[in-house]
Amino acid sequence: METSQKIEPFCNKKFCDWKKLESIVHEVTELIGKRIDEQHGKPIDPKQVVCLGIYTMLGRLCFAHKYELDDPRITWFVRLSRETLEALGVGMPADFFPVLRFLPTPGIRKLKQLLEESFNFLCDELKLHRESFDPCNIRDIFDSLLLAQKETIDESSDLVDSLTDTHLVGTVGDIFGGKYQSNTWVRAGKVPE
């Protein structure tokens, strides 16, 4: 059983207040509506607006920041995700010839650099959340995971090994950035400090 499957019921119980989720969806939907209205009938790129909206919602859920659609961190992460998908393309040569994974091709170097940026962003968020963590005030998904980690350690549960900082970063990465990122981090041996 994957870590995310083990902790999902805990996080749902501790964090998923449907009113909070509904509020985030309504707030971001209003931001999207304002963005469309600001165009005064000019053409828009719906993919870009919807993408910004989704990342804004996910950012608010995962990090409890009141992101706007044009927030530099959101636009940065959208760009990072797009570039990562482009770097993955239809696959790397190493996908077809596994021995090539040991060669530092430009595509592999670019992908590692993009994933490193994403990983560092999430590790920084974990550090900020750990510094401001209050078990009586669960603000977002990161806080709910920190609470699960704390309670698991306090109870000496058999899940302790499944709730390391690496797992927390990977879980939030799965939610915010897409499952491919944390899987790639694990293969690259990345762990938060």
Side-chain angles (χ1 to χ4, degrees):
M1 180 180 284
E2 285 189 32
T3 303
S4 57
Q5 292 171 326
K6 294 177 186 176
I7 61 178
E8 181 183 344
F10 179 88
C11 291
N12 285 340
K13 181 176 70 176
K14 297 291 182 183
F15 173 71
C16 278
D17 173 4
W18 288 108
K19 290 190 187 298
K20 184 183 261 185
L21 179 60
E22 185 177 340
S23 171
I24 289 171
V25 170
H26 283 291
E27 289 170 5
V28 174
T29 302
E30 286 179 21
L31 292 175
I32 291 171
K34 286 179 188 175
R35 170 64 60 87
I36 293 169
D37 289 344
E38 290 168 357
Q39 297 304 308
H40 303 292
K42 295 177 190 168
I44 62 165
D45 179 0
K47 182 179 177 183
Q48 179 69 8
V49 174
V50 169
C51 190
L52 287 170
I54 289 170
Y55 274 105
T56 301
M57 282 183 217
L58 291 173
R60 289 179 176 202
L61 282 170
C62 292
F63 312 123
H65 298 304
K66 268 295 219 201
Y67 290 120
E68 297 294 322
L69 290 180
D70 288 328
D71 187 285
R73 288 189 280 186
I74 294 295
T75 56
W76 169 79
F77 210 88
V78 168
R79 179 196 54 80
L80 188 75
S81 295
R82 187 184 65 249
E83 288 180 18
T84 301
L85 288 172
E86 288 170 4
L88 287 169
V90 293
M92 298 282 180
D95 293 337
F96 304 102
F97 304 103
V99 73
L100 294 178
R101 72 176 183 223
F102 300 109
L103 298 176
T105 63
I108 293 287
R109 283 194 304 271
K110 179 67 173 174
L111 183 60
K112 283 184 178 182
Q113 179 252 324
L114 293 167
L115 292 172
E116 178 98 11
E117 284 183 55
S118 175
F119 183 78
N120 290 339
F121 166 75
L122 290 170
C123 287
D124 290 346
E125 281 293 333
L126 174 63
K127 183 179 177 189
L128 291 171
H129 274 73
R130 192 173 295 290
E131 290 169 357
S132 63
F133 178 65
D134 175 4
C136 297
N137 181 25
I138 302 303
R139 303 165 293 184
D140 55 27
I141 292 173
F142 243 139
D143 277 354
S144 67
L145 292 170
L146 285 169
L147 181 61
Q149 184 184 53
K150 179 187 179 314
E151 290 183 358
T152 301
I153 291 169
D154 291 348
E155 296 169 1
S156 298
S157 170
D158 61 339
L159 291 178
V160 169
D161 292 339
S162 297
L163 288 173
T164 65
D165 286 356
T166 302
H167 288 101
L168 272 63
V169 167
T171 299
V172 173
D174 286 349
I175 295 167
F176 187 67
K179 193 166 182 80
Y180 68 90
Q181 289 180 338
S182 65
N183 290 338
T184 306
W185 294 332
V186 169
R187 285 194 300 266
K190 298 304 257 170
V191 292
E193 295 177 8

